[in-house]
Amino acid sequence: MLLLAMDTATPAVTAALHDGSSVLAESSSVDARRHGELLLPAVDRVLADAGVKLDAVTGIVVGVGPGPYTGLRVGLVTAATFASALGVPVHGVCTLDGLAYAAGLATPFVVATDARRKEVYWARYENARTRATDAAVDRPADIAGQVAGLPAVGAGALLYPETFPDTRRPEHVSAAALAALAAEKLRAGEEFLPPLPLYLRRPDAQVPKNYKVVTPK
C-alpha cells in the first residue's frame, strides 16, 4: 500500500505519503489564496522526500471538505486527475474527520473550521474515530448550546473563543492524518465518501437576479 493524500478544503495546503504503516513524507503550508500554486509542488516534495515515483502510488486520499468552493475543488480535481492517470482508486475523507483523528481525543469534542461569513463548519465527535453528527455550517452563537462544555479542535474554534473557550490542537488539517485514517479504514474494510465536494452552502459567485439583457433580439 502506498497512499498519496491531499487536502485543500481549508487554508492549509497539505500532501503526504503513507505506506499503510507509517507516514513516509508530508508537506503543509497555510495560504488561503494559493491552493492551486502550492499543491503540486507539495506533492513533488513528498515524493522526492520519500524517494518514490508517482507511479508507485496505489491509492489517492483526498479531503472532501466541507470548505469554500474555490480552494476545495483544487484538491478534488488534482486527486481525480492523479487517480485517472494512474488507474488507482480515490478515497474521499471528510476534512473534519482528519482533524478529529489528528486530535486523538478519547472523549466527546467538537471540530470547527473557518467557513468565513462569520460562520464555522463543524461537527461533534464521540472520540477521534467516531463522528456523532453530520458536518454543518452555522454561526457560532447559534450552536453555543450544542457545543457547551466540550473541547474544540480547529482554526474555526480559535476564531470564536466565546463559543469555544477550550481549544485543542491541531489548528489545521494535515494530509498525514488523512492518510493514516484512510489506511486504518482500508485495513478495517470501511467505506469512504465519494470524492465529491462537500460545500454545505451555495458558492459566493452567483448569477445576479433580474440582470438587464443588452444583446440585440
Side-chain angles (χ1 to χ4, degrees):
M1 181 189 301
L2 184 62
L3 300 175
L4 172 62
M6 62 191 71
D7 193 296
T8 58
T10 73
V13 180
T14 177
L17 278 172
H18 196 288
D19 66 1
S21 299
S22 60
V23 176
L24 300 181
E26 60 180 304
S27 175
S28 294
S29 56
V30 178
D31 191 323
R33 298 181 181 276
R34 299 177 62 213
H35 294 86
E37 297 175 48
L38 297 175
L39 181 57
L40 288 179
V43 171
D44 286 341
R45 277 194 298 274
V46 298
L47 289 169
D49 290 348
V52 300
K53 299 293 186 181
L54 181 61
D55 59 9
V57 170
T58 61
I60 308 294
V61 180
V62 63
V64 301
Y69 175 77
T70 302
L72 180 54
R73 67 178 178 172
V74 170
L76 287 164
V77 169
T78 302
T81 301
F82 280 145
S84 178
L86 297 171
V88 300
V90 55
H91 308 295
V93 178
C94 176
T95 298
L96 302 181
D97 290 356
L99 273 161
Y101 187 81
L105 300 178
T107 54
F109 65 103
V110 179
V111 173
T113 61
D114 182 17
R116 304 173 187 172
R117 304 183 191 174
K118 299 181 179 179
E119 294 178 328
V120 292
Y121 296 117
W122 72 283
R124 285 183 54 161
Y125 289 79
E126 293 299 323
N127 53 55
R129 280 280 272 121
T130 308
R131 179 155 38 89
T133 65
D134 289 335
V137 58
D138 289 289
R139 289 182 177 271
D142 294 340
I143 61 172
Q146 300 177 62
V147 303
L150 296 176
V153 172
L158 290 170
L159 290 172
Y160 303 99
E162 65 281 3
T163 299
F164 306 103
D166 181 7
T167 56
R168 311 285 179 88
R169 290 183 177 276
E171 180 178 351
H172 297 290
V173 68
S174 77
L178 282 179
L181 174 57
E184 193 172 299
K185 289 170 69 71
L186 283 168
R187 289 194 297 268
E190 298 177 23
E191 294 185 357
F192 289 86
L193 296 174
L196 300 173
L198 187 59
Y199 292 132
L200 301 186
R201 67 185 182 201
R202 294 176 64 82
D204 292 334
Q206 298 182 33
V207 176
K209 296 180 180 178
N210 302 319
Y211 61 90
K212 183 178 181 181
V213 178
V214 295
T215 54
K217 293 184 179 180

